[in-house]
Amino acid sequence: TNIILLGPPGAGKGTQARKLVEERGMVQLSTGDMLREARTSGTDMGKRVAEVMDRGQLVTDEIVIGLIREKLETVKAPGFIFDGFPRTLRQADALGELLAAEGQQLDAVIELRVDDQVLVDRVSGRYTCGDCGEVYHDKTRPTKVEGVCDVCGSHNLKRRADDNAESLKTRLMEYYKKTSPLVGYYYHAHKLHVVDGLAEIDEVSAAINKALETPL
Ligand code: AP5
Ligand code: ZN
């Protein structure tokens, strides 16, 4: 199965993707993570990407489609979870073509529906493990021992440069302008499942698993 997790910044895409990896052995393809990796490379491309991301704007379709193409051509998996991709209609078309070229198809799109008001809290409280990528939150999901990752024991817990109120405003605008049309796009393709992203993490996870078993 290949699925897309769709939703605004802070909706819980990364959190739920990691659960699906754990439960189903699927492979998470997060363009945000790939871009954050690219920016640490120090190349000119990396520097340009860093500026755009920190402002909260989308990087170009060419860059992200290229990243996904490379993964689909090289990684073998029982299924992919697309987290933060596609984000434009052009990316959505490209994904369809890339999957078809590999003899695969898209099975479901999960829209995590949330209220904008919770997103400020979600992103401003977020921190992640720099070593294994586990996602935490100051209030809703703190580490068991302060400063230590539950999963891998690392002390390398980090906050993201774009998790401030100013960038979040731009990220939300970008979402509504460029990404939210994908809701209609996948609804018409009979792939869309809407899940309440305001529920607790485990409840959202249960709802996603149920949706994946529900034929449209
Ligand atoms: P990206 O890394 O994709 O960030 P995003 O879409 O803004 O999404 P987030 O990672 O902020 O949120 P999430 O939905 O994963 O939430 P999380 O699970 O962490 O993109 C970053 C940037 O890269 C973009 O702005 C753009 O510049 C660029 N980019 C990436 N992909 C691109 C593309 N395809 N095209 C162009 N540009 C691209 O949860 C958030 C917090 O809430 C956490 O602290 C978590 O613990 C907590 N939480 C999660 N679920 C719950 C719950 N149910 N209840 C309570 N708390 C919860
Ligand atoms: Zn860790």
Side-chain angles (χ1 to χ4, degrees), residues 18 128-136 148-157:
R18 291 183 67 84
T128 51
C129 174
D131 290 321
C132 76
E134 192 66 10
V135 186
Y136 297 99
V148 185
C149 175
D150 293 356
V151 176
C152 74
S154 165
H155 290 253
N156 182 18
L157 300 173

Side-chain angles (χ1 to χ4, degrees), residues 85-183:
F85 180 92
R87 264 176 150 94
T88 63
L89 289 168
R90 200 158 142 233
Q91 291 178 24
D93 285 335
L95 177 61
E97 286 161 22
L98 290 171
L99 284 171
E102 296 295 318
Q104 296 198 53
Q105 57 160 16
L106 180 67
D107 298 287
V109 177
I110 306 285
E111 185 203 356
L112 293 174
R113 206 165 273 182
V114 289
D115 286 336
D116 285 2
Q117 292 95 301
V118 307
L119 299 178
V120 181
D121 274 350
R122 291 247 185 123
V123 304
S124 57
R126 166 169 50 195
Y127 54 100
T128 51
C129 174
D131 290 321
C132 76
E134 192 66 10
V135 186
Y136 297 99
H137 189 280
D138 292 326
K139 284 183 225 153
T140 58
R141 196 181 182 283
T143 52
K144 294 196 180 82
V145 179
E146 202 186 322
V148 185
C149 175
D150 293 356
V151 176
C152 74
S154 165
H155 290 253
N156 182 18
L157 300 173
K158 302 193 291 198
R159 292 192 191 261
R160 265 166 54 177
D162 60 345
D163 277 349
N164 57 74
E166 192 59 37
S167 302
L168 178 64
K169 219 190 277 170
T170 311
R171 282 156 69 195
L172 273 175
M173 263 163 33
E174 291 278 78
Y175 181 79
Y176 287 114
K177 245 192 311 188
K178 298 173 184 164
T179 310
S180 66
L182 298 188
V183 171

